């Protein structure tokens, strides 16, 4: 590869990454927004805690259902087409949600947003696998989380402050317009593989190849991923660690802090901002460290243990930790990044051409957990207004410990695809 072609490849790689990462940031914004807007939404729709949990959970339920189909489409149709479609659906959902005046319409709007927002992450990881060297995948996953969480950070204190100024409906409407714009740019500029731009592929890139999918039906490839025993520890780690993190930061973290510490909504949102900021920054360094050390499982278990342990002061209601609450949230944010390595592991224990499906199957777990836990915690709070929030945190503690236990069953890939070697393929 000549120097000029390397420069062209590098510029094109990062242009494509940059465009799609904006779509992912917007999807992350919508994922976390209900936490900062919880009291406003509850007042706007005259909703109970359980109904508020349902409005938030619809997003996760739909996004969960879309993970495997998105992986299949990314592997068979390519990421470009489905990204454009996903942005269009997200924009439509924003307009429905922003104009809703009851729980039903709000849920439909959130469902449409979830449908479209399910696509950018899996599609981006599939593009990363095609456009970048295999040894960069975990690093890029961490970078993806870093930028994605910038969208989540905007959904904490900044969103809470802005909503008081202009209201939450105009904010959601503008986000829909931005999503439609970025979808148009993606269709215009993004391509599924370097060859589409006449560029050479980096070493170890898992290129989208329509010929492979014509020879091997996607049903067969999906079944190979599902029946692979090494896929399922990734699934359950995602369920336990990421699912509880999503549940807490995207809805119940702010109400929990307001109730247990008696602080304002803005102060509570600041705690969630700290947690998400530490999560996103650590994810970047974790991915890079994992690639350089060629270690996946060991790093994951260390951070997952920290994450689970940090639920203990949460169970105590934080009262005995007055003054240290920000530190606790920071440490839990750092520990929560452990799950980000399961995407690399899932890709490396399955066939190269099925990277999108492997990531999609794994990703399903995270949103399944949030879709179940958000309304369940809302129901618990409605039934027991005094201690329901702490009971909800207890449930999150148990589920996260379950994820840690399954982490012990992960396969250490050392940063290389081991499917062929492990199963003699």
């Amino acid at each position: 590869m000549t120097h000029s072609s390397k420069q062209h490849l590098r510029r094109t790689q990062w242009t494509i990454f940059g465009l799609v990462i904006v779509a992912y940031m917007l999807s992350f914004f919508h994922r976390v927004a209900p936490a900062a807007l919880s009291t406003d939404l509850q007042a706007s729709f005259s909703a109970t805690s359980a109904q508020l949990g349902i409005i938030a959970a619809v997003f996760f339920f739909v996004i969960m259902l879309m993970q495997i189909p998105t992986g299949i489409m990314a592997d068979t149709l390519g990421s470009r087409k489905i990204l454009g479609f996903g942005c269009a659906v997200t924009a439509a959902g924003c307009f429905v949600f922003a104009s809703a005046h009851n729980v039903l319409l709000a849920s439909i709007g959130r469902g449409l947003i979830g449908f479209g927002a399910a696509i950018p992450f899996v599609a981006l990881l599939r593009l990363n696998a095609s456009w970048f060297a295999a040894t960069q995948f975990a690093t890029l996953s961490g970078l993806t989380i870093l930028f994605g969480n910038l969208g989540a950070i905007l959904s904490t204190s900044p969103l809470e402050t802005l909503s008081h100024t202009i209201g939450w409906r105009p904010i959601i409407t503008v986000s829909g317009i931005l999503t439609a714009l970025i979808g148009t740019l993606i269709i215009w500029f993004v391509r599924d593989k370097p060859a589409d731009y006449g560029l050479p592929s980096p070493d170890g890139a898992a290129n989208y190849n329509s010929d492979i999918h014509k020879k091997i039906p996607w049903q067969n490839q999906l079944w190979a991923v599902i029946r692979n025993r090494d896929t399922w520890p990734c699934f359950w780690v995602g369920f336990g660690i990421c699912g509880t993190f999503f549940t807490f930061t995207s809805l119940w973290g702010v109400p929990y802090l307001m109730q247990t510490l008696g602080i304002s909504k803005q102060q509570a949102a600041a705690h969630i901002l700290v947690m998400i900021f530490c999560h996103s920054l650590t994810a970047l360094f974790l991915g890079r460290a994992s690639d350089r050390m060629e270690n996946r499982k060991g790093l994951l278990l260390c951070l997952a243990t920290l994450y689970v342990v940090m639920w203990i002061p949460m169970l105590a209601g934080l009262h005995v930790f007055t003054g240290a609450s920000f530190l606790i949230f920071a440490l839990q944010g750092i520990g929560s990044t452990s799950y980000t390595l399961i995407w690399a592991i899932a890709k490396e224990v399955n066939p190269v051409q099925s990277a999108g499906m492997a990531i999609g199957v794994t990703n399903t777990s995270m949103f399944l957990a949030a879709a179940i836990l958000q309304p369940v915690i809302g129901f618990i709070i409605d039934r027991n207004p005094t201690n329901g929030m702490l009971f909800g945190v207890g449930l999150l503690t148990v589920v996260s410990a379950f994820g840690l236990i399954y982490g012990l069953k992960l396969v250490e890939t050392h940063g290389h695809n081991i499917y062929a070697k492990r199963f003699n393929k």
Side-chain angles (χ1 to χ4, degrees), residues 104-171:
L104 177 60
L105 282 177
S107 298
I108 291 172
R110 287 289 293 174
L112 288 171
I113 294 171
F115 186 99
I119 293 174
F121 182 73
V122 174
L124 178 57
L125 290 192
R126 191 64 183 86
L127 285 168
N128 289 348
S130 296
W131 276 91
F132 293 88
T135 53
Q136 295 176 279
F137 189 83
T139 300
L140 286 164
S141 296
L143 190 62
T144 297
I145 292 298
L146 173 64
F147 280 103
N149 274 286
L150 291 178
I153 288 171
L154 292 174
S155 295
T156 55
S157 294
L159 176 60
E160 194 275 335
T161 301
L162 188 61
S163 66
H164 282 304
T165 305
I166 64 174
W168 67 271
R169 295 181 189 275
I171 297 171

Side-chain angles (χ1 to χ4, degrees), residues 374-390:
Q374 284 183 331
V376 167
I377 291 175
F379 177 78
I380 292 172
I381 294 170
D382 283 340
R383 293 293 298 270
N384 192 333
T386 303
N387 297 312
M389 193 66 73
L390 286 179

Side-chain angles (χ1 to χ4, degrees), residues 310-386:
M310 283 300 105
W311 282 114
I312 295 174
M314 299 278 197
L315 283 171
L318 289 176
H319 292 297
V320 295
F321 298 92
T322 302
S325 57
F326 277 106
L327 176 61
I328 292 167
F329 272 63
L331 290 174
Q332 191 160 39
I334 291 170
S336 67
T337 58
S338 55
Y339 76 86
T340 61
L341 293 179
I342 64 175
W343 301 311
I345 296 174
K347 182 179 76 75
E348 290 160 358
V349 298
N350 281 290
V352 172
Q353 70 271 15
S354 302
M357 296 183 204
I359 294 167
V361 169
T362 300
N363 242 25
T364 299
S365 65
M366 309 169 184
F367 302 109
L368 174 64
I372 293 172
L373 292 171
Q374 284 183 331
V376 167
I377 291 175
F379 177 78
I380 292 172
I381 294 170
D382 283 340
R383 293 293 298 270
N384 192 333
T386 303

Side-chain angles (χ1 to χ4, degrees), residues 256-272:
Y256 163 81
L257 285 162
M258 292 174 67
Q259 179 175 315
T260 57
L261 292 185
I263 60 179
S264 68
K265 186 171 72 168
Q266 189 169 14
Q267 290 174 312
H271 281 74
I272 302 301

Side-chain angles (χ1 to χ4, degrees), residues 65-140:
L65 292 177
M66 281 297 296
Q67 291 306 298
I68 294 176
T70 299
I72 293 170
M73 290 187 291
D75 283 335
T76 56
L77 300 177
S79 295
R80 173 176 168 267
K81 293 178 182 177
I82 63 173
L83 278 165
F85 175 70
C87 287
V89 176
T90 300
C94 289
F95 302 143
V96 172
F97 184 53
S99 61
H101 290 279
N102 56 57
V103 171
L104 177 60
L105 282 177
S107 298
I108 291 172
R110 287 289 293 174
L112 288 171
I113 294 171
F115 186 99
I119 293 174
F121 182 73
V122 174
L124 178 57
L125 290 192
R126 191 64 183 86
L127 285 168
N128 289 348
S130 296
W131 276 91
F132 293 88
T135 53
Q136 295 176 279
F137 189 83
T139 300
L140 286 164

Side-chain angles (χ1 to χ4, degrees), residues 21-106:
I21 204 66
V22 173
Y24 180 54
M25 287 173 65
L26 287 167
S27 72
F28 231 106
F29 172 86
H30 290 296
R31 185 180 303 173
V32 181
L37 300 176
S38 57
T39 54
D40 295 330
L41 296 177
Q42 199 160 10
S44 295
F45 305 126
S46 301
T48 65
S49 293
Q51 288 174 324
L52 180 62
I54 289 171
I55 293 172
V58 165
F59 175 96
F60 287 98
F61 184 73
V62 174
I63 209 171
M64 177 268 295
L65 292 177
M66 281 297 296
Q67 291 306 298
I68 294 176
T70 299
I72 293 170
M73 290 187 291
D75 283 335
T76 56
L77 300 177
S79 295
R80 173 176 168 267
K81 293 178 182 177
I82 63 173
L83 278 165
F85 175 70
C87 287
V89 176
T90 300
C94 289
F95 302 143
V96 172
F97 184 53
S99 61
H101 290 279
N102 56 57
V103 171
L104 177 60
L105 282 177

Side-chain angles (χ1 to χ4, degrees), residues 9-20:
L9 174 62
R10 191 175 297 113
R11 285 196 300 269
T12 308
Q13 284 173 325
W14 292 108
T15 298
I16 289 174
F17 181 85
L19 284 172
V20 183

